[in-house]
Amino acid sequence: MGHVHRTHSARTLKFSTCLLGMLGMILLSQSGCINSIFMAAKVMMGDPGQTSGFEMVTTVNLSKGEHKVIVHCSAPSYINEDYGTLASDVEEELIRRMKRKGVDVLHPDAAADVLDRLGGGFDPKALAREMDVDYIMHIKIEKFSHMEESSPNLYRGHASGVIIGYEAVGEEGEDKLVTEVFNQSFKSNYPTTHPVPVDQTPKTVFIRKCVDHLADSLGASFYDVVNSSLFDM
């Protein structure tokens, strides 16, 4: 029995060594090292999940649908001038993903409609007073571009900003207690591997893909995801 056990252990060690060797060859031969590492880990351990950033901070799982949420996305004037409806496009795509994950989130532009009616900028207390919500999420896009730095012939999307979440406690129509409970920076690059030559994809199509990737990245702050969804495979 001891001989059989030693033989089995030796075979296991040999297999593990070969597997690590193959992984090393992949990393040396491929520029997408992160993706290679992830694929190898996925083969060995399956596709692990990632708890949402919001739940990690507040212990509240929004996907249970027990709390009403409103989302508002904003961007500086220069981004709005260069990219038009970028903020509302990201908001719409993010809300669509949140709904699919079971989050009880209000329809796109719900926050903007109230803020426009009140004639002011973003005001979580005003939103809490006017709407029946438990949490208010403000996605502040601070930077966005679709070109690779110093490369006029290459596309690569870059986006960064901050997510601020507020909890609203009280009755609709009254001044509620509004408290900041979540504050998380975000940064998104698309593609995560190689930039895309401008002659391979129309500009509008590429920007659309950047919006989708950004919405996926932001979604990980509000609902659980599998790690593979965070990479370009």
Side-chain angles (χ1 to χ4, degrees), residues 43-124:
V43 169
M44 291 186 289
M45 299 182 296
D47 198 353
Q50 176 176 303
T51 302
S52 74
F54 189 81
E55 183 177 357
M56 292 179 66
V57 172
T58 66
T59 72
V60 174
N61 184 341
L62 295 176
S63 292
K64 292 182 177 181
E66 298 173 350
H67 302 88
K68 291 186 178 180
V69 180
I70 190 169
V71 172
H72 179 63
C73 186
S74 65
S77 57
Y78 86 89
I79 292 180
N80 293 327
E81 291 172 0
D82 292 342
Y83 296 99
T85 60
L86 176 76
S88 60
D89 290 343
V90 172
E91 180 180 303
E92 181 176 350
E93 290 301 323
L94 173 59
I95 289 176
R96 181 179 291 117
R97 286 158 173 76
M98 292 172 73
K99 284 182 177 292
R100 286 204 300 261
K101 293 294 184 176
V103 182
D104 185 5
V105 57
L106 275 65
H107 62 84
D109 297 327
D113 291 343
V114 173
L115 295 174
D116 289 344
R117 176 163 54 81
L118 297 177
F122 180 79
D123 185 347

Side-chain angles (χ1 to χ4, degrees), residues 32-231:
C33 293
I34 294 178
N35 286 349
S36 299
I37 292 174
F38 181 80
M39 287 298 292
K42 183 176 179 180
V43 169
M44 291 186 289
M45 299 182 296
D47 198 353
Q50 176 176 303
T51 302
S52 74
F54 189 81
E55 183 177 357
M56 292 179 66
V57 172
T58 66
T59 72
V60 174
N61 184 341
L62 295 176
S63 292
K64 292 182 177 181
E66 298 173 350
H67 302 88
K68 291 186 178 180
V69 180
I70 190 169
V71 172
H72 179 63
C73 186
S74 65
S77 57
Y78 86 89
I79 292 180
N80 293 327
E81 291 172 0
D82 292 342
Y83 296 99
T85 60
L86 176 76
S88 60
D89 290 343
V90 172
E91 180 180 303
E92 181 176 350
E93 290 301 323
L94 173 59
I95 289 176
R96 181 179 291 117
R97 286 158 173 76
M98 292 172 73
K99 284 182 177 292
R100 286 204 300 261
K101 293 294 184 176
V103 182
D104 185 5
V105 57
L106 275 65
H107 62 84
D109 297 327
D113 291 343
V114 173
L115 295 174
D116 289 344
R117 176 163 54 81
L118 297 177
F122 180 79
D123 185 347
K125 291 185 177 181
L127 289 172
R129 183 178 62 251
E130 296 289 323
M131 311 192 77
D132 179 22
V133 293
D134 300 305
Y135 292 102
I136 300 165
M137 307 298 183
H138 188 192
I139 316 296
K140 299 174 64 177
I141 302 175
E142 297 174 341
K143 294 182 180 179
F144 184 87
S145 65
H146 71 285
M147 299 299 299
E148 179 77 316
E149 295 181 8
S150 304
S151 301
N153 297 317
L154 295 174
Y155 287 145
R156 190 196 298 273
H158 302 276
S160 61
V162 63
I163 304 169
I164 305 176
Y166 302 88
E167 182 181 32
V169 179
E171 298 297 326
E172 184 180 359
E174 300 177 358
D175 287 333
K176 299 179 183 179
L177 176 62
V178 178
T179 307
E180 181 181 314
V181 294
F182 185 69
N183 191 308
Q184 183 181 75
S185 297
F186 66 85
K187 187 174 183 180
S188 173
N189 296 313
Y190 176 82
T192 56
T193 52
H194 305 288
V196 176
V198 297
D199 58 356
Q200 289 187 4
T201 306
K203 175 182 173 181
T204 54
V205 173
F206 181 78
I207 292 177
R208 185 76 240 178
K209 291 182 178 180
C210 292
V211 168
D212 288 340
H213 182 77
L214 178 55
D216 287 336
S217 299
L218 293 170
S221 293
F222 303 114
Y223 50 77
D224 297 353
V225 296
V226 292
N227 288 335
S228 61
S229 67
L230 303 178
F231 296 90

